[in-house]
Amino acid sequence: MSLLIIRLLVFVVLFWAGLRLYRMYRQWKLSQDNHDDGQPAEREAQNMVRCAYCDLHLPENDAIRHEALHFCCQEHQQHFLDEGPRK
Ligand SMILES: [Zn+2]
């Protein structure tokens, strides 16, 4: 009977220790992930593209995309498609 209690205690202690280790690992991994996530997000925010028509640099999010090209505004996209790159 006492052996059963000892086994139960050992099991509980192991389970508790495992849970603590798991939580520590989770916390460590979360902080690692946050650290890694922060940099690509910043890099993406600063990703600049060039208007194919007027060479203006602008954030990719603000640019108008046309296939592989970027434009600062729809007017320049239209100019580029009609006349080609500005000389
Ligand atoms: Zn432009």
Side-chain angles (χ1 to χ4, degrees):
M1 185 61 190
S2 65
L3 194 68
L4 192 73
I5 290 169
I6 289 167
R7 276 186 184 173
L8 198 72
L9 272 173
V10 167
F11 175 78
V12 166
V13 166
L14 279 176
F15 181 77
W16 177 79
L19 201 71
R20 272 198 69 125
L21 273 173
Y22 175 71
R23 277 188 185 159
M24 275 167 69
Y25 171 75
R26 276 278 305 256
Q27 210 150 25
W28 172 78
K29 194 150 197 319
L30 262 173
S31 65
Q32 290 288 109
D33 285 352
N34 285 346
H35 188 69
D36 288 345
D37 281 347
Q39 284 175 334
E42 276 170 40
R43 248 181 266 138
E44 207 170 314
Q46 289 167 356
N47 194 14
M48 302 293 276
V49 294
R50 188 174 56 85
C51 174
Y53 187 74
C54 70
D55 287 350
L56 182 82
H57 284 77
L58 68 160
E60 192 172 16
N61 291 343
D62 296 342
I64 292 160
R65 271 189 99 141
H66 181 81
E67 288 162 21
L69 300 167
H70 294 91
F71 299 95
C72 66
C73 57
Q74 262 176 346
E75 204 179 314
H76 282 179
Q77 181 189 0
Q78 204 54 53
H79 276 302
F80 185 88
L81 295 176
D82 291 346
E83 307 155 23
R86 195 172 64 174
K87 277 141 206 155

